[in-house]
Every structure is written in structure tokens, then in C-alpha cells.
Amino acid sequence: MKAMRNRPIGEALLAAWLAVAPQVMRAATPAEIEKKIDALFVKMTVEEKLGQMSQALFGDLSDGRKEEIRRGRWGSFFGGGTAAQKAEAQHIALQESRLGIPLIYGEDVIHGKNTTFPIPLGQAASWDPELVRQAARVAAQETAATGTHWTFSPMMDIARDPRWGRIAEGFGEDPVLASRMAVAMVRGYQGDSLEAADSIAACAKHYAGYGAAEGGRDYNSTWIPENLLRDLYLAPFQASREAGVATYMSAFNDLNGVPASANAFILRQILRDEWKFDGFVVSDYTAIAELIPHGYAADSADAALKGIRGGVDMEMVSTDYWDHGKELIASKQLDPKLLDEAVRNILRIKFQLGLFDAKGRQPPAGAAPPTAAALETARKLAAESLVLLKNQNGALPLAQSVGTLAVIGPLADSPRDQLGTWANGPADTAITPLTALREALGASRVVYAPGLKNSRDESHDEFSLAVGLARRADAVVLFLGEEAALSGEASSRAYLDLPGAQEALVNEVAQTGKPVIVVIMAGRPLTFHNAAAKAGAVLYAWHSGTIGGPAIADVILGKAAPSGRLPVTFPRTVGQVPIYYNHLNTGRPPSETGPEAQDKFRWKYLDVSFTPEYPFGFGLSYTTFSYGNTTVSAPQMRVGGSLTVSAEVANTGGVEADEVVQLYIRELAASISRPVRELKDFRRVHLKPGEKQTVTFTLESSELEFHKGAQLVSEPGLFQVWVAPDSSAGLRGQFELVR
Ligand code: NOJ
């Protein structure tokens, strides 16, 4: 692995910093912070307030920019800049601006800084919030060392549509799983105290409903009824609020006719009045100026007015607030109290982060290469994110004694692509599956041909070389999928197939008759029915980050058992989308068995099954698990009470491994139709061959509540409950909720 260069702060600057660094540091209480804000406030001009509400790309630290910082033109910068440049700008803000208000630096650290962890969707596939927290902690430490105080993460947009490229950045389709992951990341970034030198502020984004983009087309409008908004889309945002997230980012999309970035219903009524959030809200990139093309603001002044009134405290990149704030106040269109509230929210977080004190004044250490511990966390998380989807006759793991292995495919040795969307870490530190397999088996036993230049390559020119290698090998591992640029922002797709000529490559390689293992690396659920049919085993690897190659090699060679589970439903074809497990039933539920299976007038398609290719929660192991003895502790639960649900889970195979035990419920009748299943809890358990464990979940009646409009209600009635290996299986019990 190549060493990354440290970028130390200049000596002179360091001396200047130390000279002004306060001697005694102590965390301020909330009341002390409000007093400090009051003291600043009496001195602040309208311009200085508008400056605090403005965020720009860092760009060059030119003389002009330095002058702007002295004038208090900007409250925040994001993206770019070396640690030394950021320190210099901060020094100017603290020492040379009239009020000495520090800047807050943001950055898109989405799944790691120098150490790239799996994409968030892959992290969600681990179903291991504690490990996700540890990864976010590493990301915070590496980020803080570069002088950045705030990450625009976690993204917690629930997504039911894999066409949407940003599904890669979130935690999938389920509100409970996404909430656990979001909270884990918030805790990891923010640590025990925001003020600690290695803590950074988190940002819950994109608030709200962004993942419901119609047609999976990025930035698209959304129509979400209030009960669904609150039960599903807002759940991780509310959980993050409870976990103390410092900031929110308002989304690009229009939500029920009002752009999210001017939507007082979600930003003021829900976030402030109901959830009592007292940090700040930043707009997404130029989202305030975009109120105009949305058809919600007539011009830039109107956009500023509606953004501030709507509840967005800080404007990212566009400059409507700065350009018109003063005139809007002078003309009495804008209540100055709204401006003051926004600025107070921003200053509160700057104080909580300690930017006026030690953290603002001490020079950042500068970027450093990933530590061994960081890489170990990355390897563990990558390994736990891998989902085994098919394993016919124990095709995997490959025996270490396999003679010659042909490694084929455009993703086998593509370091940049394996990092995924929003990768900050350098590609040259990534270890690819090819490198890892060569290391594990010895270079002479691994032959390699990509077959295609990249995942989109349509040419068959290099097929013959690849097929020739396959013919001479004992087994083939095909690394297929999508390059990084095909998922993430502005990367929606109308087709979910393996792009380029990958299907044709699979067909030709399979014709050799050699055992074929398919590994798919992608930022979204793809449809790959044909490839799976031709392979003995399919391993879904997402984009697994810096150390993804060794993690994949470990699983292929049986040094680790796969234990990831799908955080999102995989469709058979794009025509089934949206398809998700926690759907409502219809009056005509379909069936795969019995006389109903022949009934045409059911809720299904003529040309494809109604079931998904792989259900939510699904994933195989190298062992087998059995579930038995589902027990509900009482036939009834009182509203306000709780009961336990348990099952015996046994490792019935020959390999020690983790199982992710999942708890689902269904309320059979209510005043609003309820989903056919809802995940309520899950637990990763480790079992040796032959070992059996009773897994017990406590279910509180509050977990059975749902929204009727704004109201959270408990409705007595009959509940089914499953302890299950995935959303389509499991043993059922039942209980009744009573008053
Ligand atoms: C736009 C993206 O939607 C958002 O997620 C990101 O944080 C900002 N750009 C800043 O880069």
C-alpha cells in the first residue's frame, strides 16, 4: 500500500495558533452557550448574520477570499482545501474578522475519508450497527485530522426503487434497519462529545422524502401521504434527532407540491415544533436558487424569503440569502426574528463543536494514511456486507486446493470502481479481489483477463482471451456489475441489467463447462437472472471499499463465512419496480400454490412472477440454520406494555457462522391497512456447528404504533409475529393487543 503524504501545517502558522490557543478548555453548558450567543448577537450586523447563513465551496484561498472571510461574508465552506489552507482561513476568521466567529468546514465523507468502507447500502447489508458505528468513528478521526468539522452524512433516504442511483448512499427500504444504521453513524461521527478533537458533526440528509423520487429519476418530485411520510420516510430522521444529530440537510425534491428546501411543514412544524431540534439546517447544493425552476419562487429574492421562512438556516452555494436578506428585512417582508433564529442555530453548533475554543484554534494534524486498526474495521465490515445469494451444491467456498483459478470480468481489478460512489480515499490504496486472490493462492495459480474494458463495454473483442483462460482453469470467478459512476447522485438507470456485454461474457464463459462463481459489485440491486442461472454461486459484494478485495477473497476461499443480508428487495425485472417487502395487501392477494395460483384475477403480472428475485433480509451462509419453537410470552399485550418473542436458532451445518435473526409483525386489521410484514428488531448471533441459541426479542407496544396523519396510534387487535431468517420465511406466532 502506498503511503499517503502528511501535509503538515507551516511553522509560522503553528506558532500563531498556539499563541492564541486558550489555556484551559472545558465543555460549555447549554446555558453558557446561549449566553455566549447573546453576547455575540448584540454586536452582529445584518450582513454578519447573513454571512453566517452562507456556505460556499472552499476553492482557492485567494486574497479576495481572505478579505471576504475578514468581512464575515461566509459562515461555512465545504469541499477541497488542504488542512493548512483550512487552518489559515480559520485563523483569519477567528483573529482578523470583527467578531472572531469561526468557520465551519463541511465535506462529503459518506463512507470513509482515507479508509473507504463499503457504500452505505453495503454497510446496511451487514445488519451490524455496532460495526457501522466503529467505521464512522474511524471516518470522523480521519476527517477531523484534516480540519473538517462536519460531514454531510448519514444519508438516510428510504428507497424502494433501485433505478434511483442514490440508493447506493442510503440504507435500503426498511425504516427500522435504516434508523439503526443512521443512529450508528451519527454516534460514530459525533462520538461522546461534539467538542472532542476527533468528533465531527453529522448531517441527517436529505430531509425529506428524496428517496421516493418518481420513476427513480434523480431530483424528481414526490407525493407521500402523511402517514407514510411519518411511518417510513421520516423514521430514520426522527431516530437521528433522538440520537442528537447536529444538523439536517434539506432535500432537492418537491414534497407534496412544496419543495423540501422551503417546506415549513417538515422543517418547522415537524423538525422544530415536534422534535425540538435546535441545531441547524443547511440546504442542499443551490437548492434555494432551485426554488425558482421548481415554480415555487418568482425570483431570487422570493427564493431567499421562502427558504428562510421555510426553515433553511444556511444556504449552500447559491447566494440568494446574502443578495437579498438585507432588502427583505428593510422592506419588512422578512421578520428579522427568523434571521436571528437561523443564526442562533448555526452559532449553537459552532459553540458545541468547540470551534471558538480548542478545536477552532488548534491546528489539524493533517491527513494520514489509514491505520492498521482502520483497515481491520474496513475488512470486517466489507466481509459482513457480502451477501451470498446462491450456492448450489456447495459451489462456494472454493477449496484452497483448487488448481488454477481464472479471474475474469471488468470489476476484478478496478480499484476506483470498488470504492464506489462518493469515495474520498485514494484508489491506489485499494486492494482488489484479483490482488487478494493472487496473494492467497499464489500468483501462478491465478490467471486473469478482464474480458471487457469496463462494465459498460459492448465489445466482444477480448472475449476469446478470457474464454481461453477459463477453458484451461479448474474454476472461474467472474467479477461483474457496475462501475462506480453508474450509481450515486445523478446516476439513475432505466434498466437494471448488467450493463455492456457482460451477459454475453457470462454465456461464453459458462459454455466452457467449468464451475463458475459470479461476484457482483454494484451500487444498487441489479437484475441478473441469466448470470445467476449459469453460475454455481452468486455473491453480492456492492462496492466494498479499500479493503473489499481481501474480504471477498476470504469468503470465496472459506476463511470467512458470508453473513450479509439484503437491506432491500431484489426485483426479477425492472418492470416489477417498485417492489418492497413491507407492502400493503390487496383484496386479491396472489398465491404460488393451491387453487389461487391458477386464478387470473389476482394481484400479479401475466409475464413474470409477483415474487421478488431475492427477498428483503435474505442471505445464505456456508452452514444451515434451523428455526424452531417460536414462543410468544403472553397471548395478550396491553397498550403501554410489552411481551417477548423468542425462537430457538440452531446451526445445523458444518461451519461456524453468524446468522441475522429477524423479528417481523403484522397487524391483521386496523383503521388504516397495515403492511403484510414489518421488521421490528434483529440480532446477529454467532453459532458453532451444532450450537443452538434461544433468541429473545422484547416487543414494546410503542413499536406497534403507526401514524394516522400526524397522530401516533395504537390499535388493539390481532398481531402475527415471526422470528425469521428473512422477510418471506420464518415461524409464526400471534398475540392480541388489548387496552
Ligand atoms: C449534492 C448532494 O445531493 C448532497 O448529498 C451533497 O452533500 C451536496 N451536493 C454537497 O456536495
Side-chain angles (χ1 to χ4, degrees):
M1 184 171 300
K2 258 198 207 162
M4 200 184 297
R5 276 210 5 248
N6 257 313
R7 291 190 210 91
I9 306 272
E11 290 295 313
L13 189 60
L14 182 61
W17 278 90
L18 294 178
V20 295
Q23 297 308 301
V24 184
M25 314 291 176
R26 175 182 68 80
T29 63
E32 284 168 347
I33 287 180
E34 295 309 310
K35 266 199 188 156
K36 289 180 186 195
I37 297 175
D38 290 342
L40 264 179
F41 240 77
V42 291
K43 299 186 221 153
M44 281 180 95
T45 63
V46 172
E47 274 99 344
E48 281 161 338
K49 290 178 185 172
L50 292 167
Q52 286 304 308
M53 295 167 69
S54 302
Q55 184 191 56
L57 282 160
F58 190 68
D60 268 349
L61 191 53
S62 61
D63 287 347
R65 181 45 62 87
K66 288 181 189 168
E67 195 40 46
E68 286 177 348
I69 298 171
R70 272 181 208 108
R71 275 200 295 133
R73 166 68 185 87
W74 303 108
S76 174
F77 290 110
F78 77 104
T82 61
Q85 286 169 331
K86 287 189 262 183
E88 189 180 350
Q90 187 70 298
H91 184 72
I92 296 171
L94 280 164
Q95 295 305 310
E96 299 172 25
S97 75
R98 198 175 74 88
L99 298 174
I101 301 177
L103 300 159
I104 177 169
Y105 288 107
E107 194 175 329
D108 286 288
V109 176
I110 308 299
H111 51 115
K113 173 73 180 156
N114 302 335
T115 310
T116 303
F117 297 96
I119 54 168
L121 190 60
Q123 295 193 33
S126 75
W127 295 59
D128 191 342
E130 171 51 23
L131 194 52
V132 168
R133 185 197 66 78
Q134 288 170 23
R137 192 88 280 279
V138 170
Q141 286 157 349
E142 292 181 351
T143 302
T146 67
T148 291
H149 317 120
W150 174 28
T151 176
F152 303 141
S153 168
M155 178 182 122
M156 51 193 76
D157 299 309
I158 301 284
R160 293 172 156 180
D161 193 332
R163 291 173 296 181
W164 191 50
R166 303 201 80 171
I167 198 170
E169 293 177 59
F171 306 121
E173 73 189 30
D174 182 75
V176 168
L177 181 61
S179 297
R180 299 266 177 98
M181 292 294 155
V183 165
M185 275 197 186
V186 168
R187 295 210 167 113
Y189 293 137
Q190 299 194 167
D192 294 335
S193 147
L194 271 181
E195 205 177 12
D198 62 357
S199 289
I200 56 175
C203 182
K205 77 182 188 188
H206 305 84
Y207 191 70
Y210 186 38
E214 280 187 352
R217 186 165 153 189
D218 207 2
Y219 314 121
N220 211 358
S221 305
T222 61
W223 292 98
I224 310 176
E226 187 172 351
N227 56 325
L228 190 66
L229 180 70
R230 289 179 181 266
D231 281 344
L232 189 79
Y233 292 97
L234 294 189
F237 290 96
Q238 185 168 10
S240 298
R241 160 70 194 119
E242 283 155 19
V245 72
T247 71
Y248 283 72
M249 184 184 290
S250 68
F252 283 131
N253 56 291
D254 186 298
L255 173 63
N256 300 334
V258 180
S261 288
N263 195 315
F265 171 60
I266 55 170
L267 290 167
R268 290 197 181 277
Q269 183 180 319
I270 296 183
L271 188 60
R272 300 287 178 188
D273 300 347
E274 295 180 22
W275 299 351
K276 311 283 178 228
F277 174 63
D278 69 356
F280 72 87
V281 177
V282 64
S283 79
D284 204 340
Y285 200 109
T286 64
I288 298 301
E290 291 174 26
L291 297 176
I292 303 169
H294 264 294
Y296 191 71
D299 53 28
S300 167
D302 198 26
L305 185 63
K306 290 185 168 147
I308 297 172
R309 277 195 189 149
V312 174
D313 303 313
M314 184 184 280
E315 180 176 14
M316 185 190 283
V317 176
S318 50
T319 58
D320 313 273
Y321 285 11
W322 175 264
D323 295 342
H324 303 286
K326 212 172 160 188
E327 86 207 23
L328 288 170
I329 288 189
S331 63
K332 302 215 172 347
Q333 291 180 77
L334 178 64
D335 183 346
K337 267 201 235 139
L338 293 184
L339 204 72
D340 291 357
E341 263 174 37
V343 177
R344 294 187 85 96
N345 294 335
I346 294 165
L347 292 178
R348 192 171 293 122
I349 296 301
K350 289 189 174 183
F351 276 113
Q352 285 176 11
L353 275 165
L355 297 180
F356 286 84
D357 304 309
K359 194 137 92 194
R361 293 174 194 279
Q362 270 160 11
T371 62
L375 292 174
E376 184 48 34
T377 305
R379 185 174 184 145
K380 260 200 205 153
L381 188 47
E384 287 193 3
S385 76
L386 304 175
V387 188
L388 183 64
L389 295 176
K390 175 179 180 183
N391 199 16
Q392 207 169 28
N393 304 325
L396 275 179
L398 282 178
Q400 296 262 12
S401 58
V402 64
T404 305
L405 188 65
V407 171
I408 294 171
L411 273 304
D413 193 33
S414 186
R416 177 64 198 83
D417 291 316
Q418 108 182 18
L419 296 185
T421 183
W422 278 129
N424 285 292
D428 59 5
T429 59
I431 304 177
T432 66
L434 175 67
T435 305
L437 285 167
R438 278 185 174 147
E439 184 136 308
L441 294 175
S444 61
R445 284 167 62 200
V446 178
V447 291
Y448 165 63
L452 294 161
K453 288 192 184 68
N454 56 52
S455 72
R456 275 182 282 184
D457 187 0
E458 297 281 358
S459 142
H460 294 208
D461 292 354
E462 296 179 19
F463 278 22
S464 57
L465 176 64
V467 174
L469 291 185
R471 217 170 265 131
R472 290 195 295 279
D474 298 298
V476 183
V477 188
L478 267 171
F479 288 89
L480 308 173
E482 285 179 330
E483 62 215 70
L486 292 189
S487 58
E489 187 178 350
S491 301
S492 292
R493 293 182 60 198
Y495 299 97
L496 297 173
D497 306 336
L498 292 165
Q502 294 185 77
E503 287 282 358
L505 179 64
V506 176
N507 292 342
E508 292 207 14
V509 169
Q511 267 172 20
T512 63
K514 294 295 163 77
V516 174
I517 307 297
V518 163
V519 178
I520 298 184
M521 296 160 74
R524 58 159 64 75
L526 292 176
T527 52
F528 45 89
H529 190 84
N530 169 58
K534 298 217 151 115
V538 178
L539 186 68
Y540 216 79
W542 320 101
H543 290 135
S544 51
T546 306
I547 217 80
I552 293 169
D554 282 352
V555 166
I556 288 178
L557 298 174
K559 288 187 204 152
S563 60
R565 302 291 182 258
L566 296 180
V568 59
T569 302
F570 273 43
R572 293 172 187 270
T573 161
V574 71
Q576 287 183 317
V577 171
I579 181 167
Y580 46 91
Y581 88 94
N582 47 0
H583 58 79
L584 301 184
N585 219 355
T586 66
R588 297 182 169 198
S591 172
E592 286 181 291
T593 54
E596 293 92 350
Q598 309 310 319
D599 183 358
K600 178 172 188 211
F601 295 93
R602 294 270 162 174
W603 173 47
K604 59 188 181 183
Y605 297 102
L606 287 177
D607 46 4
V608 70
S609 162
F610 61 88
T611 62
E613 186 82 30
Y614 303 105
F616 172 85
F618 177 74
L620 300 168
S621 175
Y622 289 159
T623 192
T624 45
F625 296 101
S626 75
Y627 283 65
N629 252 337
T630 298
T631 312
V632 183
S633 64
Q636 293 190 327
M637 186 202 292
R638 294 222 157 266
V639 173
S642 67
L643 51 69
T644 64
V645 186
S646 55
E648 275 175 13
V649 183
N651 182 341
T652 48
V655 175
E656 91 177 66
D658 282 6
E659 166 70 331
V660 178
V661 184
Q662 303 162 34
L663 177 75
Y664 293 93
I665 63 140
R666 174 183 186 181
E667 179 159 25
L668 289 177
S671 62
I672 290 183
S673 306
R674 306 305 307 142
V676 296
R677 275 202 191 195
E678 295 177 84
L679 181 76
K680 288 296 158 186
D681 206 348
F682 55 88
R683 194 163 313 140
R684 211 174 227 277
V685 295
H686 186 80
L687 295 173
K688 296 208 169 72
E691 197 183 346
K692 189 191 271 183
Q693 195 177 312
T694 301
V695 178
T696 303
F697 296 102
T698 301
L699 193 57
E700 310 273 348
S701 89
S702 58
E703 293 174 85
L704 310 177
E705 292 171 348
F706 58 87
H707 282 94
K708 277 183 90 170
Q711 223 193 335
L712 203 51
V713 297
S714 264
E715 289 193 358
L718 204 58
F719 282 78
Q720 294 179 329
V721 57
W722 293 260
V723 180
D726 67 63
S727 62
S728 70
L731 292 177
R732 201 168 72 196
Q734 68 171 44
F735 65 88
E736 197 188 353
L737 182 68
V738 294
R739 289 220 187 273

